[in-house]
């Protein structure tokens, strides 16, 4: 068959191990997944109440334009309805952008320690991938700018970045955007924007008005706690949305997912409370790292990537045996580190106690 040649070298995305599988494998009653940056507090209680009383007709196709959710998002951000595109998660939007703008002969620029879907999708389309080393876990926007040439089609800035959790400064970002050539498309992936608490952070929404070669990506999967419903969205000028929309599958959000996203969006108190609890949890991790002299990236998200001074695959497996699923740095591109989703108070405390034991066993702590 006439497969795309690049598929012969590719593997499917390897997600964090499912909880049930780990329970079975290690004979555990309780397993906590701190691997995929889901919200440990779930979603707004209003979502649960709605789901118990839902009477939607699931025999009919959903509204492919997601009109009601679109209206709510437009009002929430003060943007026009035609400045929005809905995706089956922002993963879907990454694929749509890639399909629209990448093909053999063009290249795409991104940080080397960033979200794997950028290069995964680019490779499928046969575009050249240019991974630019980060500077202490932060996007090196100057180096990324230098990597751009006449054949560059898309530049990806994950902000805050997954897996390091770091934010680029507004100064650096605005200087970067001013210098990116106008025929190069910039994706600002802001999957964790709701967690940002850096006092120097400045709202990025206005950038889409300033530039017609830019899209902001956001999602209901992380802070909103709706990962299983698969709803993400992009904000860009209407002419950009009009180019991307034909690439989108006609019914890429379900009836239920559109409704629960509306309900979750309306409950900003829930988001504020999660942000507050996340801050407390982050401090538990930072205190652990400081106590043990382990380097960590300053996180503006609901996860922390930190040094363990041991083989991250070994530590990953040892933690799994003890009922905690995390991501090993080796799997993400930085051996000797792990990435851990910030859980509830109790989960964090128990996890750090187990980690201390594992690292002691590994001879990291004398
Ligand atoms: C989780 C994540 C996404 C994908 O989120 P979905 O909306 O669930 O597809 C996109 N970008 C980054 C950086 C993420 O961490």
């Amino acid at each position: 068959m006439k497969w795309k040649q690049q598929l012969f070298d590719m593997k499917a995305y390897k997600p964090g191990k499912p909880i049930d599988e780990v329970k079975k494998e290690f004979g555990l009653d309780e397993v906590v997944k701190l691997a995929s940056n889901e919200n440990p507090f779930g979603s707004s209680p209003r979502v649960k109440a709605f789901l118990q009383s839902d009477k939607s007709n699931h025999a009919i196709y959903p509204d492919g334009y997601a009109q009601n959710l679109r209206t709510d998002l437009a009002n929430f951000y003060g943007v026009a309805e035609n400045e929005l595109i809905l995706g089956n998660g922002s993963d879907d939007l990454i694929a749509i952008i890639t399909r629209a703008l990448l093909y053999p002969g063009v290249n795409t620029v991104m940080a080397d320690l960033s979200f794997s879907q950028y290069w995964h999708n680019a490779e499928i389309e046969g575009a050249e991938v240019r991974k630019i080393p980060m500077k202490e876990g932060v996007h090196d926007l100057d180096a990324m700018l230098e990597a751009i040439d006449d054949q560059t089609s898309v530049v990806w800035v994950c902000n805050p970045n997954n897996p390091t959790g770091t934010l680029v400064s507004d100064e650096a970002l605005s200087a970067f955007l001013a210098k990116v050539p106008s025929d190069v498309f910039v994706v600002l992936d802001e999957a964790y924007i709701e967690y940002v608490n850096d006092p120097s952070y400045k709202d990025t929404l206005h950038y889409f008005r300033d530039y017609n070669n830019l899209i902001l990506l956001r999602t209901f999967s992380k802070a909103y706690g709706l990962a299983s419903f698969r709803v993400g969205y992009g904000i860009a000028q209407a002419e950009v949305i009009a180019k991307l929309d034909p690439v989108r599958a006609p019914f890429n959000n379900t009836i239920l997912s559109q409704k629960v996203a509306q309900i979750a969006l309306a409950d900003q108190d829930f988001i504020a409370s999660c942000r507050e609890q996340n801050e407390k949890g982050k401090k538990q991790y930072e205190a652990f790292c400081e106590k043990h002299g382990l380097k960590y990236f300053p996180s503006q998200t609901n996860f922390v990537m930190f040094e363990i001074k041991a083989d991250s695959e070994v530590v990953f497996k040892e933690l799994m045996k003890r009922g905690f699923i995390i991501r090993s740095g080796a799997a993400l591109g930085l051996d000797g580190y792990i990435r851990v989703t910030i859980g509830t108070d109790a989960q964090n405390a128990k996890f750090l106690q187990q980690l201390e034991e594992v690292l002691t066993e590994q001879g990291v702590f004398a």
Side-chain angles (χ1 to χ4, degrees), residues 37 88-92 94 115 118 158 162 189 191-192 219 221-222 230-232:
N37 310 333
N88 189 259
S90 41
D91 279 342
D92 185 26
I94 293 168
F115 192 53
Y118 311 150
C158 189
N162 177 6
D189 184 347
Y192 300 94
T219 180
S221 296
K222 306 288 159 56
R230 316 302 305 126
V231 188

Side-chain angles (χ1 to χ4, degrees), residues 105-131:
V106 300
N107 69 67
T108 181
V109 173
M110 62 195 72
D112 66 342
L113 206 61
S114 196
F115 192 53
S116 61
Q117 288 305 296
Y118 311 150
W119 57 83
H120 185 87
N121 280 284
E123 280 168 17
I124 293 172
E125 299 306 332
E128 181 204 337
V129 172
R130 296 187 176 174
K131 290 188 189 176

Side-chain angles (χ1 to χ4, degrees), residues 63-349:
D63 172 7
Y65 194 61
Q67 181 62 65
N68 295 337
L69 173 57
R70 182 179 297 267
T71 302
D72 286 2
L73 281 168
N75 290 337
F76 184 75
Y77 285 115
V79 304
E81 290 183 355
N82 63 1
E83 292 170 334
L84 288 162
I85 182 169
L86 276 291
N88 189 259
S90 41
D91 279 342
D92 185 26
L93 297 169
I94 293 168
I96 289 170
I97 291 163
T98 308
R99 204 170 160 208
L101 285 152
L102 295 182
Y103 40 87
V106 300
N107 69 67
T108 181
V109 173
M110 62 195 72
D112 66 342
L113 206 61
S114 196
F115 192 53
S116 61
Q117 288 305 296
Y118 311 150
W119 57 83
H120 185 87
N121 280 284
E123 280 168 17
I124 293 172
E125 299 306 332
E128 181 204 337
V129 172
R130 296 187 176 174
K131 290 188 189 176
I132 310 306
M134 302 194 98
K135 245 189 191 160
E136 285 158 34
V138 184
H139 280 70
D140 185 346
L141 294 178
D142 289 336
M144 287 173 73
L145 206 55
E146 261 172 53
I148 293 174
D149 63 18
D150 289 347
Q151 274 66 52
T152 303
S153 185
V154 182
V155 181
W156 308 82
V157 180
C158 189
N159 198 43
N161 185 50
N162 177 6
T164 55
T166 51
L167 198 65
V168 294
S169 73
D170 188 63
E171 258 176 302
L173 185 62
S174 72
F176 172 77
L177 293 175
K179 287 183 218 149
V180 171
S182 59
D183 64 344
V184 174
F185 194 63
V186 180
V187 182
L188 266 189
D189 184 347
E190 304 184 318
Y192 300 94
I193 202 73
E194 293 84 5
Y195 287 111
V196 172
N197 82 327
D198 185 332
S200 76
Y201 171 76
K202 290 205 187 88
D203 191 7
T204 50
L205 188 65
H206 67 94
Y207 284 124
F208 96 89
R209 293 221 184 280
D210 306 342
Y211 297 101
N212 67 358
N213 59 332
L214 178 140
I215 193 166
L216 303 164
L217 298 186
R218 296 182 181 185
T219 180
F220 284 95
S221 296
K222 306 288 159 56
Y224 286 93
L226 298 177
S228 95
F229 282 102
R230 316 302 305 126
V231 188
Y233 53 98
I235 308 174
Q237 290 185 17
E239 55 177 299
V240 171
I241 300 294
K243 284 282 188 307
L244 295 174
D245 239 352
V247 186
R248 184 177 63 82
F251 305 107
N252 61 339
N253 296 119
T254 67
I255 292 179
L256 267 188
S257 58
Q258 292 176 28
K259 286 192 181 167
V260 297
Q262 280 185 275
I263 294 166
L265 184 67
D267 191 354
Q268 289 299 315
D269 286 349
F270 176 77
I271 299 296
S273 134
C274 291
R275 189 188 301 126
E276 211 172 284
Q277 297 187 73
N278 185 64
E279 282 313 306
K280 286 190 200 144
K282 198 191 292 177
K283 292 204 173 78
Q284 288 172 275
Y285 286 87
E286 290 174 353
F288 179 88
C289 291
E290 271 153 28
K291 175 180 166 200
H292 293 293
L294 303 171
K295 282 187 244 164
Y296 62 92
F297 296 111
S299 173
Q300 289 293 307
T301 63
N302 66 335
F303 56 85
V304 187
M305 193 175 205
F306 58 98
E307 187 187 31
I308 46 167
K309 297 186 175 166
D311 184 318
S312 63
E313 287 290 321
V314 172
V315 170
F316 162 76
K317 286 208 184 87
E318 287 301 316
L319 287 166
M320 196 147 66
K321 285 187 205 161
R322 295 156 185 260
F324 285 96
I325 314 174
I326 53 127
R327 289 311 292 262
S328 94
L332 299 168
L334 192 60
D335 193 13
Y337 279 68
I338 54 174
R339 190 196 69 190
V340 185
T341 304
I342 298 168
T344 63
D345 254 16
Q347 288 172 341
N348 299 331

